[in-house]
């Protein structure tokens, strides 16, 4: 029972580089989301998806793109990394209308130099 | 403009005593409240939740109290154990409009339980 799997666990980028953070879940959850955690700022929602083919912006979407071609996968793309995107990124999923039990991945520590 | 506020960044408690973590919210549309626990280098995990139709929910050593008139909830841990040392996030959700619940998180409270 893998749950929510995020890769990579650590990544260092140079300013301007692009990369994709991967997220996959094996629980057949409709809802998936990406958060970033910064010191003293809690968890802030970047993008979310309520099902395959449907995505929407969260609180801090600028600089990030997402797509949801399958139920299982929800990758987060940084098109041109900036130092302000240095953060810990968490992917989370839940079943539709299940307000509780967001299942989180173990996170990706990203540093942009 | 924070809709979910955890005003205490940290809390230190002795093992065996009660830990009380507080959370305030401003959006009167919130009707479901959750607590998540996060250890270093791990993702948050769901701990306990409460619906707005209740004022208390218990699960073992953990109890969440909701005061809707004050827009305040609290998490009580009794007795506290060193393994409870973690960051605790309060989250709140309003009824979904055409989609899933989208929780709003507070900034977290770091709990340290001393042996």
């Amino acid at each position: 029972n893998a749950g929510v799997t995020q890769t990579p666990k650590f990544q260092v980028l140079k300013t301007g580089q692009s990369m994709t953070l991967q997220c996959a879940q094996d629980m057949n959850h409709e809802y998936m989301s990406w958060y970033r955690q910064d010191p003293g700022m809690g968890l802030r929602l970047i993008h979310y998806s309520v099902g395959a083919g449907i995505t929407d912006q969260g609180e801090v979407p600028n600089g990030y793109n997402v797509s949801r071609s399958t139920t299982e996968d929800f990758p987060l793309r940084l098109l041109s990394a900036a130092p302000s995107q240095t953060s810990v990124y968490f992917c989370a999923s839940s079943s539709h209308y299940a307000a509780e039990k967001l299942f989180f991945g173990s996170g990706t520590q990203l540093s942009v130099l | 403009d924070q809709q979910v506020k955890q005003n205490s960044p940290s809390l230190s408690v002795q093992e065996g005593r009660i830990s009380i973590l507080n959370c305030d919210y401003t959006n009167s549309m919130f009707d479901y409240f959750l607590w998540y626990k996060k250890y270093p280098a791990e993702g948050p995990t769901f701990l306990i939740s409460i619906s707005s139709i209740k004022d208390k929910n218990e699960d073992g050593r953990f109890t969440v109290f909701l005061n809707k008139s004050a827009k305040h909830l609290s998490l009580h841990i009794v007795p506290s154990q060193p393994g409870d040392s973690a960051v605790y996030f309060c989250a709140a959700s309003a009824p979904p409009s055409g989609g899933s619940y989208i929780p709003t998180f507070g900034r977290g409270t770091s709990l340290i339980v001393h042996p």
Side-chain angles (χ1 to χ4, degrees):
Chain A
N1 51 350
V4 179
T5 303
Q6 286 185 240
T7 56
K9 290 192 180 298
F10 302 95
Q11 184 70 50
V12 178
L13 293 177
K14 294 181 179 178
T15 298
Q17 286 185 315
S18 63
M19 80 157 295
T20 299
L21 308 185
Q22 302 291 344
C23 176
Q25 52 91 10
D26 61 0
M27 297 172 283
N28 202 32
H29 284 166
E30 301 91 344
Y31 177 80
M32 295 187 74
S33 54
W34 277 100
Y35 289 86
R36 60 178 289 174
Q37 184 192 10
D38 302 293
M41 296 299 293
L43 294 163
R44 292 185 292 170
L45 182 64
I46 304 172
H47 285 284
Y48 66 95
S49 168
V50 298
I54 306 170
T55 64
D56 208 343
Q57 296 181 351
E59 181 186 354
V60 287
N62 292 340
Y64 308 95
N65 278 357
V66 292
S67 60
R68 184 92 179 271
S69 57
T70 67
T71 300
E72 295 78 21
D73 300 299
F74 191 45
L76 178 72
R77 297 183 187 84
L78 284 71
L79 300 178
S80 179
S84 61
Q85 294 179 304
T86 293
S87 187
V88 180
Y89 292 85
F90 291 100
C91 179
S93 73
S94 71
S95 59
H96 235 336
Y97 299 109
E100 77 273 21
K101 293 184 182 178
L102 264 182
F103 290 85
F104 283 85
S106 58
T108 296
Q109 172 74 62
L110 176 67
S111 296
V112 182
L113 307 177
Chain B
D1 182 26
Q2 286 183 267
Q3 296 189 65
V4 178
K5 300 178 184 179
Q6 294 178 256
N7 292 320
S8 297
S10 63
L11 176 67
S12 182
V13 171
Q14 205 67 31
E15 180 179 6
R17 306 294 292 268
I18 184 172
S19 295
I20 300 176
L21 293 87
N22 294 304
C23 179
D24 297 294
Y25 62 96
T26 58
N27 188 344
S28 58
M29 296 300 292
F30 287 148
D31 69 347
Y32 206 88
F33 305 89
L34 312 95
W35 287 92
Y36 287 83
K37 176 171 153 179
K38 184 186 179 304
Y39 292 118
E42 295 183 11
T45 55
F46 168 76
L47 184 59
I48 192 170
S49 62
I50 187 167
S51 164
S52 60
I53 62 173
K54 296 185 175 182
D55 55 17
K56 177 182 174 181
N57 188 27
E58 285 183 80
D59 184 0
R61 297 185 295 111
F62 303 91
T63 302
V64 56
F65 295 91
L66 175 62
N67 183 332
K68 284 173 49 182
S69 61
K71 295 190 176 67
H72 176 83
L73 63 154
S74 60
L75 174 68
H76 292 211
I77 307 173
V78 185
S80 302
Q81 300 174 354
D84 296 328
S85 297
V87 176
Y88 290 79
F89 290 101
C90 173
S93 298
S97 54
S100 291
Y101 281 88
I102 311 294
T104 299
F105 284 85
R107 295 186 174 183
T109 295
S110 177
L111 173 66
I112 299 172
V113 180
H114 298 282

